[in-house]
Amino acid sequence: MTEFVMSEGLAEPADLRPAPSGDRRRPVWVVPDTVPAVLPRSARYTEARWVAKYRRASLAADLGAGGIGAALALVARFGAQINLGYVVLGVLLPVAWVACVALQRGYETRYFGTGPEEFRSIIRAAVALTAIVAISSYATKSEVARGFVVLAVPMTCAAAMVGRWMLHRQISWRRFAGRCMRRVLVVGRNDQVTTLKRHLEERPADGYVVVASCLPRGDAFEEPEPERLGRTEMDILAAVDQYTVEVVAVAADPELAGHTLRKLSWALEQRGVELIVSPGIVEVAGPRISIRPVAGLSLLHLERPSVSGGPHLLKSIFDRVVGCLMLLGVAPILLVTAILVKLTSRGPVLFRQTRVGRGGKQFQMLKFRTMVADAEARKAELHALNEGNGVLFKLRDDPRVTRVGRYLRRFSIDELPQLVNVLRGDMSLVGPRPPLPAEVAQYAIDDARRMLVKPGLTGLWQVSGRSDLTWEESMRLDLRYADNWSIALDLLILWKTARAVLGSDGAY
């Protein structure tokens, strides 16, 4: 008989009986006290209901996007003189669009509410639809107006992206409120289970809530010599039925691999329960991980991060082009800010500070001066009031900050001169936070990996709390970016930076 250990505050299931004394070859089920231990059978259909609603909403949004794209393209290309053939083509476009999205797995349950995967399916569907129209037009020797295709497909894609974004926002709000969640059973050793649970709990928007954990008895209780006990398929399936589980997550458990894991997947498939396996690799983005079949085995391949060559050249070109456009766009703001800084306090308009760039190369970083001229000399007397993360000096109500400087810091206007550093090649638009030489001197061996890429005007640290982050959190985000950066990630961070700056979160 399986022994169940319930967290404090949870009622014990009525159908459980005590385990026989001396039975030490069974797993222990540990249930968090934040989730009901046992739900009624109707809870099994909760996921089916919200999934069905989401799928219907996605189909409606994509059909509407196809109709919008077709209508706008017809009006823009032909005006009031639309022949019957193009009217038929406009009617067929929404259906063809939905078919392309379906072929690109845009309606698969596992991608609902995930964000990036849904958006990728939309982009791939747009490429596929363009190719289908081009090939069909060539094969049938029919002349489809290029202007119609050039307008219809991008407009449809843009409308579909907006629709999916709205759906993603709605389901994210529900998940933060504890709704539309998938109930997860985590199986593995204690340390792996703890790590996986922590990562799932940190991102409720992904839609997973851990309701129970399965681990050997020796891992659950601190004993002098814990036994290495195996789990049987029946134990896991009993917990799946008991806790109305919708997902079983195996956390890098060597006892559940090979044929055993395959048999478990078959049994879960019969129950309609999803099986996911965590390889135990953290802080590595999906594009760097691939599954390659070799000799009948599915091997996990981890690509090396891009640290040189073509990708970095592309990033450098992107930085300079976009940085130049941004500098031209904010030129009036720079001029007004420079005048305000000069007229409201004594000292230079720009503040120059030595920072460390890619490969340990030092450079002079530019910022608008937001403090009094003798701020560095007065730093020692304020050191006891430091509210920073232990390495950096930060003070919410710093008396050295000027009246104008508070507004510049709040909306990050003081950092706009760093666009000049971007054009010089010292910095990137997106990257790790530019460190001081004193910080670099305290780096561990692993921390030095953040120097593989240029420091950025913004980065993951900027959109994740800014000055409110601890030193460890800031370093973890910088290392994550250095290992997983891409142009797509840079664009996402730039978008989120605008929202973080307008909200002025963590800025002081």
Side-chain angles (χ1 to χ4, degrees), residues 134-154:
I135 294 173
S136 301
S137 177
Y138 177 79
T140 59
K141 299 186 183 301
S142 58
E143 296 184 0
V144 179
R146 288 188 295 271
F148 173 78
V149 178
V150 169
L151 291 173
V153 176

Side-chain angles (χ1 to χ4, degrees), residues 462-474:
Q462 180 84 349
V463 299
S464 304
R466 300 161 85 177
S467 298
D468 293 331
L469 296 174
T470 65
W471 172 257
E472 291 75 15
E473 290 171 338
S474 178

Side-chain angles (χ1 to χ4, degrees), residues 33-115:
D33 55 356
T34 56
V35 182
V38 181
L39 293 183
R41 288 293 172 181
S42 60
R44 286 190 182 276
Y45 305 101
T46 301
E47 181 184 17
R49 284 197 294 267
W50 75 257
V51 165
K53 289 181 180 179
Y54 195 94
R55 183 176 285 109
R56 288 196 297 269
S58 300
L59 285 168
D62 289 340
L63 285 171
I68 292 173
L72 292 177
L74 288 173
V75 172
R77 176 62 178 82
F78 302 105
Q81 299 177 348
I82 306 175
N83 61 43
L84 181 61
Y86 279 101
V87 171
V88 174
L89 187 60
V91 172
L92 293 178
L93 180 63
V95 179
W97 172 252
V98 169
C100 288
V101 174
L103 290 174
Q104 299 302 325
R105 301 182 176 182
Y107 303 117
E108 288 194 8
T109 303
R110 57 178 172 170
Y111 295 143
F112 286 171
T114 58

Side-chain angles (χ1 to χ4, degrees), residues 383-405:
H383 191 72
L385 303 176
N386 183 19
E387 299 176 358
N389 52 29
V391 177
L392 300 178
F393 181 85
K394 289 289 183 179
L395 198 60
R396 287 185 181 272
D397 296 319
D398 198 323
R400 302 172 300 166
V401 179
T402 64
R403 184 171 58 181
V404 172

